[in-house]
């Protein structure tokens, strides 16, 4: 059975060791059923242990991991996924993503996307997708795999970086937008407009941002090590912004990009 990806997930970026284990444990206890990790985060073992120790049926959890660039070659791809599954203590992930497109084409996109498709065909991933792909790269991926195959593009999205070209292309092609870093490392939580809207709805700034994400049909995966924030973020589902709120937040876009490593593509 393939379950739909819950719109609010628990991210684990930058969480190591005990912090990763505790964060996932608290999220699952709070009611989250969508957990996001990646090979490069170095916490798949802790995430897997937290899921195993939770006692929650595997079929109830939507689990995502991402394959790192040094594993894109044919000889490394499948063994790295098998290692991820072993570390996560699962037989499959619900979603496997290409973490970043290769800038240098050292491995051709057609080759690593063929390997990604093979993982799905072997039953080790229920869905496959991409992360940090530009419009041109998404078009290339669609030409290789077909639109139906690409479940999501996980990209940086928050009120200060609304990434509209990428978002519009995803929506036009039936690709779910998963927005990471929804709070821009806390930058947007200090915004006066967000604070004003939050006060109007008797909500927190974080709940207001998460409501904005949800009402734009974005999935999002904030991470936290604090029980209060984990619980509070879940309650964002009760916050409903009106058209004026949504319009005001739309005005906050300022191309404030935080995830921009030297291997990043040429952004739209």
């Amino acid at each position: 059975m393939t379950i739909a990806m819950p719109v609010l997930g628990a991210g684990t970026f930058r969480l190591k060791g005990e912090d990763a284990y505790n964060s996932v444990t608290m999220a699952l206890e709070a009611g989250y059923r969508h957990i996001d990790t990646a090979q490069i985060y170095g916490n798949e073992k802790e995430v897997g242990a937290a899921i195993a120790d939770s006692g929650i049926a595997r079929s109830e959890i939507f689990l995502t991991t991402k394959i790192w660039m040094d594993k894109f070659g044919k000889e490394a791809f499948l063994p790295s996924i098998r290692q991820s599954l072993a570390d996560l203590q699962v037989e499959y992930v619900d979603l496997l993503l290409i973490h970043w497109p290769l800038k240098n084409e050292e491995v051709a996109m057609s080759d690593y996307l063929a390997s990604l498709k093979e993982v799905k065909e072997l039953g080790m991933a229920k869905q496959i997708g991409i992360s940090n792909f530009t419009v041109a790269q998404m078009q290339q991926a669609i030409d290789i795999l077909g639109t139906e195959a690409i479940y999501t593009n996980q990209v940086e999205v928050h009120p200060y970086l609304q990434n509209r070209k990428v978002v519009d292309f995803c929506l036009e092609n039936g690709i779910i937008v998963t927005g990471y870093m929804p709070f821009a490392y806390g930058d947007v939580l200090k915004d006066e407009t967000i604070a004003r809207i939050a006060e109007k709805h008797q909500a927190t700034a974080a709940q207001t941002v998460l409501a904005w994400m949800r009402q734009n049909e974005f999935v999002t995966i904030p991470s936290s090590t604090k029980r209060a924030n984990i619980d509070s973020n879940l309650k964002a589902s009760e916050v409903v912004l009106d058209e004026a709120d949504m319009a005001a937040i739309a005005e906050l876009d300022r191309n404030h990009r935080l995830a921009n490593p030297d291997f990043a593509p040429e952004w739209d």
Side-chain angles (χ1 to χ4, degrees), residues 156-163 182-184 186-194 212 249 251-258:
E156 183 180 346
V157 178
H158 45 74
Y160 285 177
L161 179 72
Q162 297 183 24
N163 222 335
F183 309 136
D187 289 351
V188 297
L189 301 183
K190 302 168 198 157
D191 187 272
E192 288 177 14
T193 299
I194 300 286
W212 175 80
I249 296 174
E251 293 294 317
L252 299 178
D253 195 8
R254 59 195 67 178
N255 202 34
H256 180 63
R257 188 180 296 278
L258 296 169

Short mmCIF file of all heavy atoms in Angstrom, two decimals, residues 156-163 182-184 186-194 212 249 251-258:
data_model
loop_
_atom_site.label_atom_id
_atom_site.label_comp_id
_atom_site.label_asym_id
_atom_site.label_seq_id
_atom_site.Cartn_x
_atom_site.Cartn_y
_atom_site.Cartn_z
N GLU A 156 13.95 24.87 -1.51
CA GLU A 156 13.82 25.90 -0.47
C GLU A 156 12.63 26.81 -0.80
O GLU A 156 12.58 27.41 -1.87
CB GLU A 156 15.11 26.71 -0.39
CG GLU A 156 15.08 27.75 0.73
CD GLU A 156 16.37 28.58 0.84
OE1 GLU A 156 17.39 28.20 0.23
OE2 GLU A 156 16.33 29.60 1.54
N VAL A 157 11.69 26.87 0.11
CA VAL A 157 10.53 27.76 -0.05
C VAL A 157 10.15 28.31 1.32
O VAL A 157 10.00 27.56 2.29
CB VAL A 157 9.29 27.04 -0.63
CG1 VAL A 157 8.11 28.00 -0.71
CG2 VAL A 157 9.57 26.47 -2.01
N HIS A 158 10.03 29.62 1.39
CA HIS A 158 9.54 30.31 2.59
C HIS A 158 9.08 31.70 2.15
O HIS A 158 9.29 32.08 0.99
CB HIS A 158 10.63 30.37 3.68
CG HIS A 158 11.98 30.77 3.21
ND1 HIS A 158 12.28 32.08 2.87
CD2 HIS A 158 13.11 30.05 2.99
CE1 HIS A 158 13.55 32.15 2.49
NE2 HIS A 158 14.08 30.93 2.53
N PRO A 159 8.46 32.47 3.03
CA PRO A 159 7.95 33.78 2.59
C PRO A 159 9.00 34.70 1.98
O PRO A 159 8.67 35.55 1.14
CB PRO A 159 7.37 34.36 3.88
CG PRO A 159 6.89 33.16 4.63
CD PRO A 159 7.95 32.12 4.37
N TYR A 160 10.26 34.55 2.37
CA TYR A 160 11.33 35.39 1.81
C TYR A 160 11.92 34.84 0.51
O TYR A 160 12.70 35.50 -0.15
CB TYR A 160 12.44 35.58 2.84
CG TYR A 160 12.12 36.53 3.98
CD1 TYR A 160 13.05 36.73 5.00
CD2 TYR A 160 10.92 37.23 4.04
CE1 TYR A 160 12.78 37.61 6.05
CE2 TYR A 160 10.64 38.09 5.09
CZ TYR A 160 11.57 38.28 6.10
OH TYR A 160 11.30 39.14 7.14
N LEU A 161 11.61 33.59 0.18
CA LEU A 161 12.05 32.97 -1.09
C LEU A 161 10.89 32.12 -1.61
O LEU A 161 10.78 30.95 -1.28
CB LEU A 161 13.30 32.11 -0.90
CG LEU A 161 13.80 31.43 -2.19
CD1 LEU A 161 14.43 32.43 -3.15
CD2 LEU A 161 14.80 30.32 -1.88
N GLN A 162 10.04 32.72 -2.40
CA GLN A 162 8.81 32.03 -2.80
C GLN A 162 8.96 31.20 -4.07
O GLN A 162 8.06 30.44 -4.44
CB GLN A 162 7.65 33.04 -2.86
CG GLN A 162 7.40 33.63 -1.46
CD GLN A 162 6.24 34.59 -1.37
OE1 GLN A 162 5.30 34.56 -2.17
NE2 GLN A 162 6.28 35.46 -0.36
N ASN A 163 10.12 31.32 -4.72
CA ASN A 163 10.54 30.37 -5.76
C ASN A 163 9.45 30.14 -6.80
O ASN A 163 9.16 29.00 -7.17
CB ASN A 163 10.92 29.06 -5.05
CG ASN A 163 12.18 28.43 -5.61
OD1 ASN A 163 12.55 28.67 -6.76
ND2 ASN A 163 12.84 27.61 -4.82
N PRO A 182 11.23 26.25 5.97
CA PRO A 182 10.09 27.17 5.87
C PRO A 182 10.24 28.44 6.70
O PRO A 182 9.61 29.45 6.39
CB PRO A 182 8.91 26.33 6.38
CG PRO A 182 9.54 25.27 7.25
CD PRO A 182 10.84 24.96 6.59
N PHE A 183 11.09 28.39 7.73
CA PHE A 183 11.27 29.57 8.58
C PHE A 183 12.54 30.34 8.24
O PHE A 183 12.86 31.34 8.90
CB PHE A 183 11.31 29.17 10.06
CG PHE A 183 10.15 28.30 10.49
CD1 PHE A 183 10.35 27.18 11.29
CD2 PHE A 183 8.85 28.60 10.08
CE1 PHE A 183 9.29 26.38 11.67
CE2 PHE A 183 7.78 27.79 10.46
CZ PHE A 183 7.99 26.68 11.26
N ALA A 184 13.27 29.88 7.20
CA ALA A 184 14.53 30.54 6.80
C ALA A 184 15.46 30.71 8.00
O ALA A 184 15.96 31.81 8.26
CB ALA A 184 14.25 31.87 6.12
N GLY A 186 14.73 30.91 10.97
CA GLY A 186 14.17 31.83 11.95
C GLY A 186 14.03 33.26 11.45
O GLY A 186 13.39 34.09 12.11
N ASP A 187 14.59 33.58 10.29
CA ASP A 187 14.54 34.96 9.78
C ASP A 187 13.09 35.44 9.61
O ASP A 187 12.75 36.55 10.02
CB ASP A 187 15.26 35.07 8.43
CG ASP A 187 16.77 34.94 8.55
OD1 ASP A 187 17.27 34.94 9.70
OD2 ASP A 187 17.45 34.83 7.53
N VAL A 188 12.24 34.59 9.01
CA VAL A 188 10.87 35.05 8.74
C VAL A 188 10.02 35.11 10.01
O VAL A 188 8.99 35.79 10.04
CB VAL A 188 10.15 34.19 7.67
CG1 VAL A 188 10.84 34.28 6.33
CG2 VAL A 188 10.02 32.75 8.11
N LEU A 189 10.48 34.42 11.06
CA LEU A 189 9.70 34.44 12.31
C LEU A 189 9.81 35.79 13.02
O LEU A 189 9.02 36.08 13.91
CB LEU A 189 10.17 33.30 13.24
CG LEU A 189 10.04 31.89 12.66
CD1 LEU A 189 10.46 30.86 13.68
CD2 LEU A 189 8.62 31.61 12.16
N LYS A 190 10.78 36.60 12.61
CA LYS A 190 10.96 37.93 13.22
C LYS A 190 10.28 39.02 12.38
O LYS A 190 10.33 40.20 12.72
CB LYS A 190 12.45 38.26 13.32
CG LYS A 190 13.26 37.25 14.13
CD LYS A 190 14.76 37.50 13.92
CE LYS A 190 15.56 36.28 14.33
NZ LYS A 190 16.87 36.25 13.68
N ASP A 191 9.64 38.62 11.28
CA ASP A 191 9.07 39.59 10.35
C ASP A 191 7.84 40.27 10.95
O ASP A 191 6.97 39.61 11.54
CB ASP A 191 8.70 38.89 9.04
CG ASP A 191 8.26 39.86 7.97
OD1 ASP A 191 7.06 40.18 7.92
OD2 ASP A 191 9.12 40.31 7.20
N GLU A 192 7.74 41.57 10.78
CA GLU A 192 6.62 42.34 11.36
C GLU A 192 5.28 41.96 10.75
O GLU A 192 4.26 41.90 11.45
CB GLU A 192 6.86 43.85 11.15
CG GLU A 192 7.98 44.40 12.03
CD GLU A 192 8.26 45.88 11.76
OE1 GLU A 192 7.43 46.53 11.09
OE2 GLU A 192 9.30 46.37 12.22
N THR A 193 5.26 41.72 9.44
CA THR A 193 4.00 41.32 8.79
C THR A 193 3.52 39.98 9.32
O THR A 193 2.33 39.80 9.63
CB THR A 193 4.19 41.26 7.26
OG1 THR A 193 4.56 42.55 6.79
CG2 THR A 193 2.93 40.79 6.55
N ILE A 194 4.44 39.04 9.43
CA ILE A 194 4.10 37.71 9.97
C ILE A 194 3.60 37.85 11.41
O ILE A 194 2.59 37.24 11.79
CB ILE A 194 5.32 36.76 9.93
CG1 ILE A 194 5.83 36.55 8.49
CG2 ILE A 194 5.01 35.43 10.61
CD1 ILE A 194 4.99 35.68 7.61
N TRP A 212 0.46 29.35 5.82
CA TRP A 212 0.72 29.91 4.48
C TRP A 212 1.24 28.84 3.53
O TRP A 212 0.79 28.74 2.38
CB TRP A 212 1.71 31.06 4.61
CG TRP A 212 2.15 31.65 3.30
CD1 TRP A 212 1.47 32.55 2.53
CD2 TRP A 212 3.37 31.36 2.60
NE1 TRP A 212 2.20 32.83 1.39
CE2 TRP A 212 3.37 32.12 1.41
CE3 TRP A 212 4.47 30.53 2.88
CZ2 TRP A 212 4.42 32.08 0.50
CZ3 TRP A 212 5.51 30.49 1.97
CH2 TRP A 212 5.48 31.26 0.79
N ILE A 249 1.63 38.26 2.77
CA ILE A 249 2.81 37.39 2.84
C ILE A 249 3.44 37.25 1.46
O ILE A 249 4.67 37.20 1.33
CB ILE A 249 2.45 36.02 3.45
CG1 ILE A 249 2.00 36.20 4.91
CG2 ILE A 249 3.66 35.07 3.40
CD1 ILE A 249 1.48 34.95 5.58
N GLU A 251 3.83 39.48 -0.61
CA GLU A 251 4.65 40.68 -0.82
C GLU A 251 6.03 40.58 -0.15
O GLU A 251 6.89 41.43 -0.37
CB GLU A 251 3.93 41.91 -0.27
CG GLU A 251 2.66 42.28 -1.03
CD GLU A 251 2.95 42.74 -2.45
OE1 GLU A 251 3.92 43.51 -2.64
OE2 GLU A 251 2.23 42.30 -3.37
N LEU A 252 6.23 39.58 0.70
CA LEU A 252 7.49 39.49 1.45
C LEU A 252 8.63 38.86 0.65
O LEU A 252 9.78 38.85 1.10
CB LEU A 252 7.27 38.66 2.74
CG LEU A 252 6.26 39.22 3.74
CD1 LEU A 252 6.13 38.28 4.94
CD2 LEU A 252 6.66 40.62 4.20
N ASP A 253 8.32 38.32 -0.52
CA ASP A 253 9.34 37.65 -1.33
C ASP A 253 10.51 38.58 -1.64
O ASP A 253 10.31 39.71 -2.10
CB ASP A 253 8.69 37.18 -2.64
CG ASP A 253 9.54 36.18 -3.41
OD1 ASP A 253 10.55 35.71 -2.86
OD2 ASP A 253 9.17 35.86 -4.55
N ARG A 254 11.73 38.15 -1.33
CA ARG A 254 12.91 39.00 -1.59
C ARG A 254 14.13 38.19 -2.05
O ARG A 254 15.27 38.62 -1.90
CB ARG A 254 13.25 39.78 -0.32
CG ARG A 254 13.55 38.92 0.91
CD ARG A 254 13.53 39.72 2.19
NE ARG A 254 12.19 40.19 2.49
CZ ARG A 254 11.89 40.90 3.59
NH1 ARG A 254 12.83 41.20 4.47
NH2 ARG A 254 10.65 41.29 3.81
N ASN A 255 13.86 37.00 -2.59
CA ASN A 255 14.95 36.15 -3.11
C ASN A 255 16.03 35.89 -2.06
O ASN A 255 17.22 35.89 -2.36
CB ASN A 255 15.56 36.75 -4.38
CG ASN A 255 16.27 35.70 -5.22
OD1 ASN A 255 15.84 34.56 -5.27
ND2 ASN A 255 17.34 36.08 -5.89
N HIS A 256 15.59 35.68 -0.84
CA HIS A 256 16.50 35.46 0.30
C HIS A 256 16.83 33.97 0.38
O HIS A 256 16.22 33.21 1.13
CB HIS A 256 15.79 35.96 1.56
CG HIS A 256 16.58 35.81 2.83
ND1 HIS A 256 17.76 36.45 3.05
CD2 HIS A 256 16.32 35.10 3.96
CE1 HIS A 256 18.21 36.15 4.26
NE2 HIS A 256 17.36 35.32 4.83
N ARG A 257 17.81 33.54 -0.43
CA ARG A 257 18.15 32.12 -0.55
C ARG A 257 19.25 31.76 0.45
O ARG A 257 20.28 32.42 0.52
CB ARG A 257 18.61 31.81 -1.97
CG ARG A 257 18.79 30.32 -2.24
CD ARG A 257 19.24 30.08 -3.67
NE ARG A 257 18.26 30.49 -4.66
CZ ARG A 257 17.21 29.75 -5.02
NH1 ARG A 257 17.00 28.57 -4.48
NH2 ARG A 257 16.36 30.21 -5.92
N LEU A 258 19.02 30.69 1.20
CA LEU A 258 19.99 30.26 2.22
C LEU A 258 20.76 29.01 1.79
O LEU A 258 21.93 28.87 2.13
CB LEU A 258 19.26 30.01 3.55
CG LEU A 258 18.61 31.27 4.15
CD1 LEU A 258 17.69 30.90 5.29
CD2 LEU A 258 19.68 32.25 4.61
#
